[in-house]
Amino acid sequence: MRLQQGGLVELVALGTSQSDWLDILNRLGAEGFEIQTTDSLDDTPCNLLNFLKEDENDSTCLIRVKSTGGQTWTSTLPVGGPVVMQGDPREIASLEELNSVRNLMHLIHAVTHKPVILIPEAGDVYRTRPYVRI
């Protein structure tokens, strides 16, 4: 599999919403993934529950997930639409790193019971042919 040159790649859990984040992050944390959240206003850890409410927020919460394979995936809350995490394709250069990404995708699928795809950044999730689909 050859990933795009330049730009980021995205993991997208189709048919999900931001309400799925807490369950996903809890599962990933239990599986040994390093989870970090940062409030954009004061650079302190986020209270995710505040960002998962429908209320307006004055700031955003940056989420960083470091996989057991070493890749870093990021996202921002609040966001409309499905759960999306962005990563650097240069961190997916070996079969071992690709298997680590597939493991992450399987865990997200196990929590949401929804399809999870790996696509180029900003690709149309329904029209772009995914690199990987779980």
Side-chain angles (χ1 to χ4, degrees), residues 1-6 8-10 89 92 98 102 105 117-121 128-133:
M1 177 181 76
R2 190 167 182 77
L3 299 178
Q4 70 185 19
Q5 297 295 317
L8 300 174
V9 290
E10 293 182 331
I92 312 170
L98 177 59
R102 289 176 51 84
M105 295 172 72
I117 59 174
L118 178 67
I119 61 172
E121 178 186 28
T128 303
R129 183 174 181 205
Y131 297 122
V132 179
R133 180 182 177 100

Side-chain angles (χ1 to χ4, degrees), residues 20-77:
D20 293 298
W21 269 111
L22 200 53
D23 291 335
I24 290 169
L25 293 176
N26 283 336
R27 176 68 183 269
L28 295 179
E31 296 287 334
F33 288 71
E34 183 182 321
I35 312 290
Q36 182 181 42
T37 61
T38 308
D39 190 305
S40 66
L41 280 183
D42 56 14
D43 214 26
T44 59
C46 295
N47 178 344
L48 284 178
L49 294 177
N50 291 341
F51 289 91
L52 294 174
K53 294 178 185 174
E54 296 298 321
D55 301 339
E56 294 276 328
N57 289 296
D58 292 333
S59 63
T60 57
C61 179
L62 175 64
I63 299 170
R64 286 184 191 90
V65 175
K66 185 148 189 161
S67 73
T68 53
Q71 298 91 13
T72 299
W73 297 92
T74 61
S75 192
T76 304
L77 290 176

Side-chain angles (χ1 to χ4, degrees), residues 88-125:
D88 186 338
R90 293 174 294 186
E91 294 181 349
I92 312 170
S94 70
L95 183 57
E96 181 180 330
E97 291 166 340
L98 177 59
N99 286 336
S100 175
V101 173
R102 289 176 51 84
N103 179 51
L104 172 58
M105 295 172 72
H106 277 288
L107 290 170
I108 294 170
H109 173 74
V111 171
T112 64
H113 306 287
K114 304 285 185 180
V116 181
I117 59 174
L118 178 67
I119 61 172
E121 178 186 28
D124 181 313
V125 297

